[in-house]
Amino acid sequence: MEMCGATALTWSHTICPSLHLPRSVSTREARSFCVWCVSDQDPKGNKMIISVTGATGFIGRRLVQRLHADNHSVHVLTRSKSKAETIFPAKDFPGIKIAEEPEWKDSVQGSTGVVNLAGLPISTRWSPEIKKEIKQSRIRVTSKVAELINSAPDDIRPKVFVSATAVGYYGTSETQVFDEQSPSGKDYLAEVCREWESTALKVNGDVRVALIRIGVVLGKDGGALVKMIPIFNLFAGGPLGSGKQWFSWIHLEDIVNLIYEALSNPSYKGVINGTAPNPVRLAELCDQLGNVLGRPSWLPVPDFALKAVLGEGATVVLEGQRVLPIQAKKLGFPFKYPYVKDALQAILS
């Protein structure tokens, strides 16, 4: 789950971390971090300069495409300039600035806003070393970006900081309903999210902060479906685990649009759940997926099959949580894909 995660904890290469079309507009590779910058203008369609970490990831790529298509200035802050240049070639993305870490300061200063999507994918087997890196990869980059924002002189300090986090903040449950006011869980991913968010909140008080708790991001070129479809097909399309666990998802297009809106709309601040308004139990997701793929959905995928692929990370899918985007709905965010059936048809048709 890109739970963003994913970015999100983002399931960039796994079972899990979008776009709505407001006025303007995670996931990343294990060892590279990126940041994009958009200019300092008013939300009503004017040009922005934005800085984004995790720009080469599942969510980040689409966000950059959206920003560039809308003629905003974009700076990619990355640890791998060659990788970023491959993903965003100058001939297709004229004017985009790609900056390695020593140049991040100059890119952040003078930008309108910063988007933080960096973090090691959680969709992997969790050794003690990997669990440590999952947390540190998020804290390290978030801390660095917060410091760069804080050190900028007042007149060139970014006005908004949109930082990904994940629905893993709430822990897992088959019975509870979680919204932005719900307390944090007690498991490992909840701990990661708490530290991730508290690090982002260290930015200067004059900077508007939006923390987007991202659910499982569904899209064509990465995220949950890349891993789910082969497993699903192998076991003839049945539910994963018990099928009773909740699956809080969001279409890639909607999560990108939510981040975009948070950059441009001053009403978007504090915690905002980046999930579709209609979470489903995993059995329903698999039924809908089977219908779209033209496969039956009757033989459950056993727990051991998921654990063989994901190790301890499978607990996120096997247990799940029901998360509602109460704040996004209050803000009037127009979800393009509120129902998973429509989302899957759009992605797989």
Side-chain angles (χ1 to χ4, degrees):
M1 285 165 113
E2 252 194 58
M3 285 171 54
C4 273
T7 168
L9 300 168
T10 44
W11 290 74
S12 166
H13 297 287
T14 177
I15 293 197
C16 194
S18 314
L19 260 167
H20 106 190
L21 298 174
R23 294 181 288 270
S24 38
V25 184
S26 100
T27 303
R28 40 162 273 75
E29 289 298 326
R31 299 291 174 187
S32 67
F33 301 94
C34 304
V35 178
W36 303 78
C37 302
V38 183
S39 111
D40 179 4
Q41 308 283 330
D42 159 312
K44 300 183 169 45
N46 294 326
K47 186 176 181 181
M48 297 186 292
I49 302 169
I50 298 297
S51 300
V52 182
T53 68
T56 60
F58 182 41
I59 299 173
R61 294 184 192 199
R62 183 65 70 87
L63 176 61
V64 170
Q65 291 169 1
R66 173 78 195 280
L67 289 167
H68 185 260
D70 285 355
N71 297 313
H72 297 297
S73 296
V74 180
H75 297 186
V76 182
L77 309 190
T78 180
R79 289 187 169 186
S80 176
K81 190 169 186 176
S82 60
K83 177 182 178 182
E85 288 174 339
T86 299
I87 293 172
F88 305 111
K91 64 181 179 62
D92 297 326
F93 295 89
I96 279 184
K97 177 181 178 181
I98 297 176
E100 292 193 305
E101 197 162 353
E103 304 168 298
W104 286 17
K105 180 178 179 180
D106 291 339
S107 292
V108 169
Q109 292 186 357
S111 64
T112 307
V114 178
V115 178
N116 178 38
L117 297 172
L120 185 75
I122 65 169
S123 55
T124 185
R125 297 186 66 83
W126 291 357
S127 66
E129 294 75 18
I130 290 296
K131 290 175 75 172
K132 183 178 180 180
E133 178 61 17
I134 284 172
K135 180 190 289 187
Q136 289 186 345
S137 66
R138 286 161 174 76
I139 307 307
R140 183 170 57 236
V141 177
T142 304
S143 178
K144 180 175 180 65
V145 172
E147 289 173 5
L148 292 174
I149 292 172
N150 290 343
S151 66
D154 292 350
D155 58 336
I156 56 172
R157 181 179 295 133
K159 303 299 187 293
V160 57
F161 181 37
V162 181
S163 192
T165 171
V167 295
Y169 175 91
Y170 302 111
T172 60
S173 174
E174 282 190 7
T175 57
Q176 289 181 269
V177 179
F178 301 104
D179 62 27
E180 288 86 352
Q181 302 303 315
S182 300
S184 181
K186 295 181 170 63
D187 59 16
Y188 161 70
L189 290 179
E191 175 188 319
V192 171
C193 291
R194 285 195 302 272
E195 293 192 31
W196 196 3
E197 293 184 12
S198 66
T199 303
L201 289 171
K202 292 178 181 178
V203 298
N204 186 289
D206 294 335
V207 177
R208 178 169 58 88
V209 177
L211 298 172
I212 312 295
R213 290 179 183 157
I214 303 176
V216 181
V217 179
L218 302 180
K220 185 172 296 184
D221 302 317
L225 294 181
V226 167
K227 282 286 182 72
M228 288 184 71
I229 290 174
I231 296 175
F232 188 85
N233 286 335
L234 180 64
F235 287 88
L240 306 175
S242 71
K244 296 179 181 178
Q245 61 274 55
W246 284 97
F247 191 79
S248 295
W249 61 279
I250 188 167
H251 190 286
L252 176 61
E253 190 173 342
D254 277 328
I255 192 61
V256 170
N257 282 331
L258 184 64
I259 294 168
Y260 193 107
E261 188 74 357
L263 284 170
S264 62
N265 189 331
S267 298
Y268 284 63
K269 55 188 174 182
V271 174
I272 302 171
N273 286 335
T275 58
N278 297 290
V280 294
R281 293 193 185 270
L282 208 50
E284 180 181 346
L285 173 79
C286 291
D287 283 343
Q288 297 291 355
L289 185 57
N291 290 337
V292 173
L293 294 174
R295 292 184 61 83
S297 181
W298 59 276
L299 180 64
V301 177
D303 292 3
F304 74 80
L306 285 178
K307 290 176 180 175
V309 175
L310 297 178
E312 190 180 352
T315 59
V316 181
V317 175
L318 293 172
E319 297 177 16
Q321 64 274 106
R322 185 183 184 187
V323 179
L324 300 180
I326 300 300
Q327 189 62 18
K329 292 176 73 175
K330 284 182 180 178
L331 290 165
F333 178 80
F335 287 92
K336 185 174 181 179
Y337 298 101
Y339 297 101
V340 74
K341 177 181 178 180
D342 297 333
L344 291 173
Q345 287 179 337
I347 292 165
L348 298 172
S349 62

